[in-house]
Amino acid sequence: MKALALVSGGLDSVLAARLMLEQGIDVEGVSFVSPFFTADAAAESCEELGIGLVVIDVAEALLGVIGAPKHGFGRYVNPCIDCHALMVREAGLRMEELGASFVVTGEVVGQRPKSQMRFGLQAVERESGLDGLLLRPLSAKLLEPTVPEKKGWVDREKLLGLHGRTRKPQMELAERFGIETFASPAGGCLLTDENYARVFRDLRDHGQLSVAGVKMLSVGRQFRLSPAAKLAVGRNHSENEALFRLKSRDELLLKAADHKGPVGVLSGEPEDGDIETAARIVARYADAPRGEPASVLVWNEDTERATIEVVPFAPREARRFAI
Ligand code: SF4
């Protein structure tokens, strides 16, 4: 018997997979990547568990969900119930191809507001389409028996009845199993980060959500210049390089011509006034003398480099555009 275990790298997901291994079930890990999280922690955990890992890119699908999540958001812009349902559904779709018979998650009843309350768990199962084939080993004894339990693929008696926010039983279990590698329960998802939520909402509210657009939100300083134009400005060499990598063909790049300074990427549908504002912000963060005109290069992959002369904004003026 084989199960696909959703592994985030957090302790609960690792324990759920481990409980299946303890019952002699073959387990393959499944994890997800998007602009908001990576599968790095999952890869480490699966290595420690000695199981394989399948990584699924859910960037487009998750962006579709975030536009209008059926079950709303958590504290910031994290649509956790919809996101869990999406992940479980994606894993379910791989079951046949990977030779698995059910899906396992590390969800614990009552552990998180909303997403792991009973209605949240029920919604995840219903909307994942995995009717009866979704097993939560850490809380199974508090939930209706699933197909794997009813059919005797797994021994329900050896599953747990964990409930609530306490981490003590999980820590004890980790010690018993000698599990040392696991990510912090809160870390890892940008959608739960207050600062990221602010810039994300700005992009969403201006109708500019795209995979490339949300990737750029986590790099550099972000400025809203007008309803149609947004600017990202690198804060150091590696962010400048990241912006170069992330920009699309038609997005405008800006850089001070005669002074050391950052790269700016102007997105959306900027008008002339937006380009001038962007150039003044980019010049403000370059080593250009205050109050004196500076030359800023403006180009994209389809155009020659143009030079515009601007007076750099004073810091206070530039801050007016910060998101
Ligand atoms: S924290 Fe992020 S990755 Fe986890 S379920 Fe919520 S939205 Fe999805």
Side-chain angles (χ1 to χ4, degrees), residues 37 78-80 83-84 87 189 191-192:
F37 44 80
N78 46 311
C80 290
C83 179
H84 269 150
M87 290 174 170
C189 176
L191 298 169
T192 61

Side-chain angles (χ1 to χ4, degrees), residues 108-286:
V108 171
V109 173
Q111 187 180 70
R112 302 232 175 105
K114 229 169 152 184
S115 68
Q116 294 190 13
M117 289 300 164
R118 272 174 205 273
F119 76 87
L121 297 185
Q122 285 161 357
V124 167
E125 175 159 9
R126 197 172 52 245
E127 285 160 32
S128 68
L130 268 186
D131 209 14
L133 293 176
L134 174 57
L135 178 67
R136 282 101 168 196
L138 301 186
S139 288
K141 284 186 172 164
L142 304 176
L143 300 166
E144 284 293 304
T146 58
V147 171
E149 293 158 276
K150 286 185 201 159
K151 294 205 169 180
W153 302 341
V154 300
D155 183 350
R156 183 172 168 91
E157 285 312 304
K158 292 184 180 154
L159 302 177
L160 308 181
L162 302 189
H163 176 275
R165 299 175 73 91
T166 173
R167 308 287 299 154
K168 204 165 161 231
Q170 285 96 320
M171 298 309 289
E172 285 169 1
L173 213 52
E175 200 174 324
R176 199 176 103 209
F177 288 143
I179 295 171
E180 289 172 355
T181 308
F182 53 89
S184 92
C189 176
L190 284 173
L191 298 169
T192 61
D193 179 276
E194 184 177 2
N195 292 324
Y196 189 83
R198 191 178 60 250
V199 290
F200 179 90
R201 286 191 188 109
D202 170 83
L203 202 68
R204 180 194 64 193
D205 296 348
H206 288 91
Q208 291 164 346
L209 282 185
S210 68
V211 172
V214 294
K215 278 185 186 166
M216 207 173 287
L217 293 181
S218 50
V219 184
R221 297 180 171 89
Q222 307 289 323
F223 299 88
R224 169 59 56 189
L225 310 187
S226 71
K230 187 192 75 77
L231 175 72
V233 178
R235 282 173 293 206
N236 51 44
H237 182 64
S238 72
E239 287 192 344
N240 289 337
E241 287 194 332
L243 288 175
F244 262 115
R245 274 197 313 277
L246 290 171
K247 63 150 181 43
S248 65
R249 191 172 182 88
D250 55 348
E251 281 172 324
L252 287 174
L253 286 156
L254 296 98
K255 193 170 185 335
D258 306 317
H259 303 280
K260 273 180 74 173
V263 170
V265 176
L266 185 53
S267 318
E269 292 172 14
E271 297 185 349
D272 288 352
D274 298 320
I275 296 172
E276 186 184 333
T277 305
R280 295 186 72 186
I281 293 173
V282 168
R284 173 260 179 266
Y285 288 103

